[in-house]
Amino acid sequence: MFDTIVDYLSSISPAYAALLATTFTWFVTAVGAGFVFFFKKINRTVMDVMMGFTGGVMVAASFWSLLAPAINMSEGENFVKVMPAALGFLGGAVFIFILDKILPHLHVNFKKVEGIKTPWQKTTLLVLAITMHNIPEGLAIGVLFGGAAAGMPEASIAGAVILAIGIGLQNLPEGVAVAVPLRRMGMSRRKSFMLGQSSALVEPIAGVLGAVAVTIFTPILPYALAFAAGAMIFVVIEEVVPESQQGGNTDLATMGFIGGFIIMMVLDVALG
């Protein structure tokens, strides 16, 4: 099954392949958001473990799928070899930092609105917070597909598919984390679901843009891979991990993180 998917995605354009892969990650988000039709609230312990799992997957994906290939494909030795990855990583973190300061958004705990002041409702701000998560995730998938199409040995279709699977796994709790709080605020099930799944619609857009950019400008691939990694790590440290630790379930949330990291690492090494 896995080989069949890889073979098919290898036979089509990288932009289309990235679109299909990121449509899958959006679909998993929608499945998570669909929990709102069955539950009005999620146990805080379960939510903390899921958020920890999300962080673990994102950190593992950042290294195994993005940073390591970025370093391996860079030319030169010693400091020269690692500089593209270092610069790209810093650029990705700064990009999300700027978005975090400019784009109005609200974290899942509803305690603090960040970004510029706005009259927007809490529902919109919460969706924007998760949307910000999904930009680097979609970009990472697209960049890998573009790199594979450009013939870079360190970027493979199999690796891109594995990354999409991993991001899909952690998108499930993200869908829950948006839709269920909206339902708890009094919003209808249907509207909570629609807003929850819409938070991942940015992934196909970012995925296609990443694939096209790398296909046209192949030399930017190591920078682009590291950029996506830096953006994801910033999101994990600034938001995902702190939120997983605020419910008093620190040990369980940490084990969720470890579990997510192991699953993503195993998928990447065993299948990639």
Side-chain angles (χ1 to χ4, degrees):
M1 178 67 175
F2 180 79
D3 290 339
T4 301
I5 293 173
V6 171
D7 290 341
Y8 174 71
L9 294 177
S10 300
S11 68
I12 60 179
S13 72
Y16 185 39
L19 177 63
L20 292 178
T22 49
T23 297
F24 163 76
T25 61
W26 160 80
F27 173 76
V28 179
T29 305
V31 171
F35 276 53
V36 78
F37 290 108
F38 308 98
F39 306 99
K40 189 171 183 178
K41 62 180 181 178
I42 296 291
N43 181 275
R44 182 59 199 241
T45 301
V46 174
M47 182 63 72
D48 288 344
V49 172
M50 290 195 300
M51 292 300 289
F53 178 87
T54 292
V57 170
M58 292 176 74
V59 170
S62 296
F63 176 75
W64 296 101
S65 298
L66 301 171
L67 271 180
I71 294 171
N72 290 335
M73 71 179 57
S74 299
E75 298 179 353
E77 297 180 357
N78 302 324
F79 286 105
V80 173
K81 185 174 182 63
V82 78
M83 284 311 296
L87 292 174
F89 190 86
L90 176 62
V94 170
F95 172 72
I96 297 298
F97 172 80
I98 293 172
L99 276 186
D100 191 61
K101 297 302 179 185
I102 295 176
L103 185 67
H105 61 283
L106 177 69
H107 296 290
V108 176
N109 56 35
F110 297 104
K111 290 183 178 179
K112 183 179 179 182
V113 176
E114 297 183 355
I116 60 175
K117 292 183 179 180
T118 175
W120 295 347
Q121 295 182 345
K122 287 184 176 181
T123 54
T124 302
L125 297 174
L126 178 60
V127 173
L128 285 175
I130 304 299
T131 298
M132 196 162 62
H133 285 198
N134 292 326
I135 293 174
E137 295 169 6
L139 181 65
I141 295 171
V143 165
L144 274 180
F145 276 111
M152 303 296 290
E154 294 82 5
S156 67
I157 297 296
V161 172
I162 292 165
L163 180 60
I165 293 172
I167 289 177
L169 286 174
Q170 61 93 33
N171 272 4
L172 183 70
E174 283 194 356
V176 177
V178 179
V180 172
L182 295 179
R183 173 60 179 157
R184 195 168 63 243
M185 291 167 60
M187 189 174 290
S188 69
R189 289 184 174 88
R190 182 177 178 277
K191 191 169 183 180
S192 298
F193 168 76
M194 293 303 295
L195 286 174
Q197 60 82 28
S198 69
S199 65
L201 289 176
V202 70
E203 286 193 7
I205 299 171
V208 171
L209 289 177
V212 171
V214 170
T215 303
I216 297 174
F217 305 105
T218 305
I220 72 169
L221 181 57
Y223 297 92
L225 288 171
F227 181 95
M232 287 207 288
I233 292 296
F234 186 96
V235 168
V236 171
I237 301 302
E238 195 272 338
E239 183 169 337
V240 176
V241 169
E243 289 195 7
S244 74
Q245 301 288 315
Q246 290 183 8
N249 303 299
T250 57
D251 290 340
L252 290 174
T254 301
M255 291 308 298
F257 182 99
I258 297 298
F261 188 98
I262 290 173
I263 289 174
M264 188 64 210
M265 178 180 66
V266 169
L267 283 175
D268 208 307
V269 175
L271 298 178

